[in-house]
Amino acid sequence: MNNADIQIVADRVLRRELGKFGYQRAEVRSGFDHSDEPAVYVDAVLGVGAPPLEPTTFFEAHAALGRALLAEGEERFPYFRMRRLGEELPEDEVSRESPPRAERSHS
C-alpha cells in the first residue's frame, strides 16, 4: 500500500476509534524501523481540547489500525502515536521518517 491508501484506511479506523476524543486527522509516513525493516508511521492528531485518554484506548486504536491495514494487504508494521494539535514533539521525534537505506550508516 502507498501512503495515500494507508491514509484512507487510517482515517476511517481512527475516526471510529477516537472520534469522541477529538480525532482530527491521521498523518502517515513510510520509513524503516530500528531493525532496518520497512515500517509505516501513523500519527493520530487530536483537537486542542481533546480529553485525556486511557492507555487501553490507545492500545485498542493501534490494534484496530493494525488489523485493518493487514486486511487491506499491508505487510509493514504500523508504528502509532497520538498527539494534539499544536503540541510540540520532542526534538528526536520531529521526523521519524527514515532516510533511504543507502544513506544510513550501520554502526
Side-chain angles (χ1 to χ4, degrees):
M1 296 178 75
N2 64 34
N3 287 355
D5 295 333
I6 294 168
Q7 175 81 37
I8 291 167
V9 173
D11 194 52
R12 181 186 74 229
V13 170
L14 297 175
R15 189 164 307 286
R16 181 185 69 229
E17 296 291 321
L18 301 172
K20 65 183 176 183
F21 297 100
Y23 174 79
Q24 299 290 310
R25 68 178 183 274
E27 295 178 355
V28 177
R29 291 171 307 285
S30 294
F32 296 92
D33 67 12
H34 59 282
S35 298
D36 207 27
E37 295 293 323
V40 62
Y41 296 90
V42 178
D43 288 3
V45 180
L46 307 178
V48 174
L53 287 97
E54 294 294 323
T56 55
T57 303
F58 173 85
F59 295 124
E60 289 169 2
H62 189 195
L65 176 63
R67 286 189 303 270
L69 291 172
L70 188 60
E72 293 289 332
E74 179 57 57
E75 296 178 353
R76 296 172 292 173
F77 183 81
Y79 288 89
F80 179 64
R81 68 181 174 192
M82 289 188 279
R83 61 184 177 82
R84 288 178 172 68
L85 284 173
E87 184 176 78
E88 295 286 327
L89 294 174
E91 186 64 33
D92 63 339
E93 290 192 38
V94 170
S95 175
R96 293 188 319 182
E97 188 169 353
S98 302
R101 285 185 166 164
E103 295 178 17
R104 289 185 283 157
S105 65
H106 296 276
S107 322

